[in-house]
């Protein structure tokens, strides 16, 4: 029924987005010349490094062969289902072998097409492949001039479209086109509609993000987890510490507990988490990221169904002990602050049919109007990141508390 009401364009989008809507978790990789300096991927701009002074970094970059295989294995082990790597960041250096500039990995220090290696590595692990591509370019002589000089705009837009064409032509199937910063032009100046039509012609199954000043297929909240309006697909991108590029002086890395918490949040809102690693110039991944990702993977092997296939269409009220996802008539309570042997959940009006530690044993429970008490839990949390308690209820799960403390006799959902 539903698909009959969709326009052909909407139906096609639904088809292309199918895998993405179930993916939940992806690896973002920011890797470039800036990784050698280790002070954020905006270092060229923030420290006002002149182009001539920055350029030699293209010759000194010597990434170790095979490092992308390690990322792909790490991504797979962590429960991620796709990867998105910077093919060119704002610095303008191309990690792919471009015919349009020699400022690229194949012709400079690395001496290899790092995008080809990345694609091969991701595919070997069965992961979907995304290309991050910055439209803004601090290296190209027309990158800023294009705003005020029509001849420069023409040259620069041809350059950008030409590179996007290369990316969509030379690497087989590409699953995501992930544009970034479209300074200094508008959609018309960039000829974004034409560019994206070309992308779709070359890659009929691709999904495109919203950063070429066209809404396209999905939204990209950055550094915050905010579900999109109107059922639109979305993906929150987040750093592990405070930077996207390798920045060892920022030691404030997210823990696996935080990652699991973010995954619950994106799942509840029906979105994805694109979590960034900023590898060292040699391609190795900072240990705090590896550690947190491995722990997240272990957690997902046990509790995955509470995230990959679950969402939370009817938002629930806060509880100090944790938060929900739901699937059909099942509630998954992600308990990240363990209460001890009893867990009380208020505001649930569905009849409870059963409760268990997910992947573990059945639990006892008693229910009195909108107070559910689950008992027989271990004193100590079985899982430090979050223990999921699976609750089967009658009908669609609904939970709501409000501010009062009086038990309501009539139907609170009416
Ligand atoms: C921002 C930054 C950039 C980073 C991106 C990731 O737009 O400019 O450095 O690559 O966000 O979403």
């Amino acid at each position: 029924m539903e698909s009959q009401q969709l326009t052909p364009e909407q139906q096609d989008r639904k088809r292309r987005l199918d895998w993405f809507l179930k993916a939940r978790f992806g690896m973002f990789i920011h890797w470039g010349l800036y990784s050698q300096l280790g002070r954020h991927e905006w270092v060229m701009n923030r420290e006002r490094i002149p182009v001539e002074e920055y350029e030699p970094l293209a010759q000194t970059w010597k990434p170790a062969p095979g490092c992308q295989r390690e990322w792909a294995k790490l991504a797979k082990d962590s429960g991620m289902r796709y990867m998105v790597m910077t093919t060119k960041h704002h610095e303008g250096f191309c990690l792919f072998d471009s015919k349009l500039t020699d400022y690229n990995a194949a012709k400079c220090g690395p001496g290899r097409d790092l995008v080809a290696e990345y694609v091969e590595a991701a595919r070997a692990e069965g992961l979907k492949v995304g290309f991050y591509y910055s439209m803004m370019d601090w290296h190209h002589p027309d990158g800023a001039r294009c705003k005020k000089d029509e001849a420069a705009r023409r040259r620069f837009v041809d350059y950008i479209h030409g590179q996007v064409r290369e990316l969509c032509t030379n690497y087989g199937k590409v699953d995501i086109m992930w544009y970034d910063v479209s300074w200094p032009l508008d959609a018309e100046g960039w000829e974004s509609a034409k560019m994206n039509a070309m992308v779709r012609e070359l890659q009929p199954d691709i999904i495109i993000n919203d950063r070429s000043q066209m809404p396209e297929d999905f939204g990209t909240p950055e550094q915050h987890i905010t579900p999109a309006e109107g059922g639109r697909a979305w993906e929150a991108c987040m750093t592990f510490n405070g930077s996207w590029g390798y920045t060892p002086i920022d030691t404030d890395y997210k823990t696996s507990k935080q990652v699991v918490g973010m995954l619950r949040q994106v799942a509840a809102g029906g979105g994805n988490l694109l979590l960034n690693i900023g590898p060292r110039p040699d391609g190795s991944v900072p240990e705090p990221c590896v550690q947190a990702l491995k722990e997240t993977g272990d957690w997902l092997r046990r509790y995955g169904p509470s995230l990959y296939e679950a969402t939370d269409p009817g938002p629930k009220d806060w509880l100090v002990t944790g938060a929900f996802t739901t699937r059909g008539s099942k509630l998954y309570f992600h308990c990240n602050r363990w209460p001890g042997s009893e867990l009380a959940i208020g505001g649930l009006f569905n009849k409870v049919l059963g409760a268990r530690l997910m992947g573990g044993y059945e639990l006892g429970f008693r229910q009195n109007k909108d107070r559910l008490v689950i008992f027989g839990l271990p004193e100590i949390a079985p899982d430090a990141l979050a223990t999921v308690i699976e609750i089967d209820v009658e009908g669609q799960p609904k939970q709501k508390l409000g501010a009062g403390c009086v038990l309501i006799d009539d139907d609170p959902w009416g």
Side-chain angles (χ1 to χ4, degrees):
M1 273 311 276
E2 191 204 327
S3 62
Q4 282 168 10
Q5 290 154 7
L6 300 177
T7 64
E9 194 194 335
Q10 287 168 329
Q11 270 179 38
D12 187 58
R13 173 164 292 151
K14 196 171 171 230
R15 172 188 71 78
R16 288 181 289 102
L17 279 168
D18 186 56
W19 71 267
F20 185 74
L21 295 175
K22 300 174 195 147
R24 287 290 174 264
F25 198 17
M27 178 182 273
F28 210 178
I29 303 119
H30 276 68
W31 202 38
L33 302 182
Y34 48 79
S35 311
Q36 295 174 86
L37 299 178
R39 294 191 302 278
H40 200 281
E41 74 286 355
W42 272 67
V43 61
M44 184 179 178
N45 166 282
R46 296 293 102 173
E47 300 185 8
R48 283 288 183 263
I49 307 178
V51 171
E52 320 77 70
E53 215 174 289
Y54 197 87
E55 267 178 347
L57 290 170
Q59 303 308 332
T60 50
W61 192 21
K62 303 280 178 196
C67 56
Q68 285 134 319
R69 285 288 183 112
E70 298 304 315
W71 310 340
K73 277 190 214 136
L74 179 63
K76 177 80 185 208
D77 272 3
S78 316
M80 291 168 161
R81 294 179 167 175
Y82 65 104
M83 301 172 84
V84 179
M85 187 186 77
T86 50
T87 61
K88 181 193 84 164
H89 204 264
H90 313 334
E91 65 179 8
F93 184 74
C94 299
L95 276 68
F96 58 103
D97 188 4
S98 175
K99 291 206 166 42
L100 304 174
T101 177
D102 286 347
Y103 200 47
N104 78 57
K107 300 201 179 73
C108 297
R112 292 145 36 209
D113 186 323
L114 299 174
V115 169
E117 292 181 7
Y118 153 71
V119 171
E120 193 265 331
R123 291 269 176 242
E125 294 298 331
L127 301 168
K128 300 276 185 192
V129 174
F131 286 168
Y132 166 107
Y133 180 80
S134 170
M135 297 167 76
M136 174 165 80
D137 193 314
W138 298 326
H139 180 263
H140 194 290
D142 296 321
R145 201 188 292 157
C146 61
K147 173 86 176 143
K148 298 204 172 111
D149 173 340
E150 175 51 25
R153 188 197 68 83
R154 185 68 270 150
R155 283 192 301 268
F156 187 52
V157 168
D158 286 347
Y159 176 76
I160 297 294
H161 286 211
Q163 291 207 320
V164 170
R165 175 180 287 281
E166 290 182 321
L167 288 169
C168 291
T169 308
N170 299 340
Y171 302 93
K173 191 161 188 268
V174 182
D175 301 295
I176 306 176
M177 180 52 74
W178 214 104
Y179 294 117
D180 196 19
V181 185
S182 55
W183 182 91
L185 302 173
D186 58 13
E188 201 184 318
W190 285 112
E191 302 175 28
S192 298
K194 189 175 149 203
M195 176 170 71
N196 293 344
M198 168 187 74
V199 169
R200 295 199 189 285
E201 199 185 314
L202 296 166
Q203 297 280 344
D205 297 331
I206 206 165
I207 56 171
I208 304 179
N209 79 349
D210 62 349
R211 295 196 182 182
S212 59
Q213 300 191 29
M214 310 268 301
E216 297 294 352
D217 298 317
F218 67 98
T220 53
E222 180 173 323
Q223 301 288 48
H224 60 97
I225 296 178
T226 312
E229 306 267 306
R232 198 171 133 76
W234 62 281
E235 169 203 70
C237 52
M238 308 286 287
T239 50
F240 234 114
N241 54 4
S243 299
W244 302 91
Y246 177 55
T247 305
I249 50 176
D250 180 349
T251 52
D252 205 2
Y253 286 96
K254 294 187 175 68
T255 62
S256 50
K257 184 163 180 155
Q258 287 171 294
V259 175
V260 163
M262 293 192 294
L263 283 172
R264 194 222 48 95
Q265 255 186 293
V266 294
N272 289 346
L273 173 66
L274 184 64
L275 183 58
N276 181 74
I277 56 160
R280 296 190 185 86
D282 68 2
S284 59
V285 181
E287 284 69 30
C289 305
V290 176
Q291 174 76 15
L293 287 175
K294 281 196 184 311
E295 289 167 10
T296 302
D298 288 342
W299 187 91
L300 279 167
R301 271 183 278 284
R302 178 160 184 182
Y303 301 113
S306 73
L307 285 179
Y308 293 118
E309 287 116 45
T311 60
D312 193 17
K316 310 285 183 286
D317 263 327
W318 68 267
L319 292 161
V320 75
T321 41
F324 296 95
T325 58
T326 68
R327 184 190 183 194
S329 57
K330 217 179 254 307
L331 277 160
Y332 297 105
F333 188 68
H334 290 233
C335 189
N336 59 357
R337 296 198 193 94
W338 195 250
S341 61
E342 285 195 355
L343 169 71
I345 294 175
L348 183 67
F349 287 87
N350 305 76
K351 183 174 161 46
V352 173
L353 304 173
R356 67 201 63 87
L357 287 172
M358 194 170 173
Y361 59 85
E362 289 294 317
L363 297 163
F365 63 90
R366 53 180 184 271
Q367 198 175 12
N368 178 14
K369 291 192 178 164
D370 63 348
R371 174 168 164 82
L372 168 70
V373 179
I374 297 174
F375 52 85
L377 293 160
E379 278 301 328
I380 309 282
D383 205 304
L385 306 190
T387 300
V388 180
I389 294 163
E390 201 179 273
I391 306 165
D392 296 316
V393 299
E394 223 171 64
Q396 278 294 107
K398 283 177 183 171
Q399 184 260 1
K400 198 172 173 55
L401 286 156
C405 226
V406 183
L407 287 181
I408 322 158
D409 277 325
D410 51 9
D411 176 14
W413 309 103

